[in-house]
């Protein structure tokens, strides 16, 4: 049974999750891929204000395709999260609570997740058309010149994801791998 989660997520909600939990996300999430992360990071380093408040925020590593009639966005599948790893610890330290994407993360990101009581979630790669149905609204926030990589504010409803990294050091990619290896040894 999936856990219903409201975004923005509180630290208490984040720390209640465990690696391997299935969740359904509803609320506000921001899109930001590597080009947007670089700009956000540079703004932070220069002491400038960001186009949205990171405190408790959720970021989805996605560059949605253009919307078809009647849709808020086009295909909205996750991109490889590790592209943003060099910027992520500073963003987590500034209050980022949830990251949503796909693929493994660096040890530095894992440490920052634990340090900040955050979570990293995975969406299903290759299911962008299905995931787009969970997006109810999309609003341009920053960097429109980046096209699909611009920062957008999305309102999502019952967006499915799995907790990969939890605030307690759990890593579902590792535990699932170990479980699988044990199952084939017998």
């Amino acid at each position: 049974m999936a856990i219903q989660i409201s975004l923005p997520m509180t630290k208490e909600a984040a720390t209640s999750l465990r690696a391997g939990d299935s969740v359904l996300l509803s609320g506000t999430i921001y899109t930001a891929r590597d080009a947007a992360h670089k700009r956000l990071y540079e703004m932070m380093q220069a002491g400038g204000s960001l186009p949205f408040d990171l405190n408790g925020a959720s970021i989805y590593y996605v560059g949605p395709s253009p919307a078809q009639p009647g849709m808020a966005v086009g295909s909205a599948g996750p991109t490889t999260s590790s592209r943003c790893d060099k910027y992520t610890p500073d963003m987590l330290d500034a209050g980022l609570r949830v990251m949503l994407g796909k693929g493994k993360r660096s040890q530095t990101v894992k440490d920052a997740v634990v340090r900040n009581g955050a979570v990293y979630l995975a969406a299903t790669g290759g299911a962008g058309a299905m995931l787009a149905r969970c997006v109810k609204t999309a609003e341009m926030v920053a960097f429109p010149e980046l096209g699909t990589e611009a920062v957008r504010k999305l309102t999502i409803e019952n967006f499915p994801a799995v907790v990969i990294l939890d605030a307690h050091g759990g890593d579902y990619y590792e535990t699932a791998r170990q479980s699988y290896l044990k199952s084939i040894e017998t």
Side-chain angles (χ1 to χ4, degrees):
M1 178 71 93
I3 301 166
Q4 295 280 340
I5 298 290
S6 293
L7 301 176
M9 187 185 296
T10 65
K11 187 172 186 174
E12 293 74 29
T15 58
S16 74
L17 297 173
R18 296 291 186 265
D21 286 347
S22 293
V23 297
L24 291 172
L25 306 170
S26 295
T28 300
I29 195 165
Y30 294 90
T31 68
R33 288 183 48 156
D34 35 321
H37 266 70
K38 182 175 191 258
R39 290 198 185 174
L40 293 168
Y41 178 80
E42 289 168 350
M43 292 169 83
M44 288 173 59
Q45 296 305 302
S49 61
L50 298 180
F52 64 96
D53 186 5
L54 275 180
N55 193 29
S58 303
I59 289 181
Y60 183 20
Y61 305 123
V62 64
S65 64
Q68 297 297 316
M71 298 289 289
V73 295
S75 183
T79 193
T80 304
S81 304
S82 61
R83 294 177 185 163
C84 300
D85 279 5
K86 67 182 176 180
Y87 311 116
T88 301
D90 286 325
M91 295 179 90
L92 287 163
D93 290 343
L96 179 64
R97 179 85 57 230
V98 177
M99 299 158 293
L100 176 63
K102 68 178 182 182
K104 290 183 144 199
R105 305 306 297 267
S106 68
Q107 188 61 49
T108 306
V109 171
K110 292 179 186 183
D111 294 342
V113 165
V114 171
R115 180 173 64 245
N116 291 287
V119 290
Y120 167 56
L121 312 174
T124 303
M130 183 215 50
L131 295 172
R133 293 184 195 141
C134 299
V135 179
K136 303 306 175 190
T137 66
E139 170 188 333
M140 181 64 65
V141 172
F143 320 131
E145 66 280 6
L146 293 178
T148 61
E149 290 199 38
V151 174
R152 290 175 176 78
K153 178 181 176 181
L154 305 181
T155 303
I156 58 175
E157 187 176 299
N158 293 323
F159 190 106
V162 175
V163 178
I164 302 301
L165 301 178
D166 67 33
H168 310 282
D171 182 340
Y172 189 58
Y173 287 145
E174 282 304 313
T175 57
R177 180 179 166 276
Q178 290 168 4
S179 178
Y180 170 74
L181 290 174
K182 271 188 177 178
S183 76
I184 62 172
E185 288 176 358
T186 57

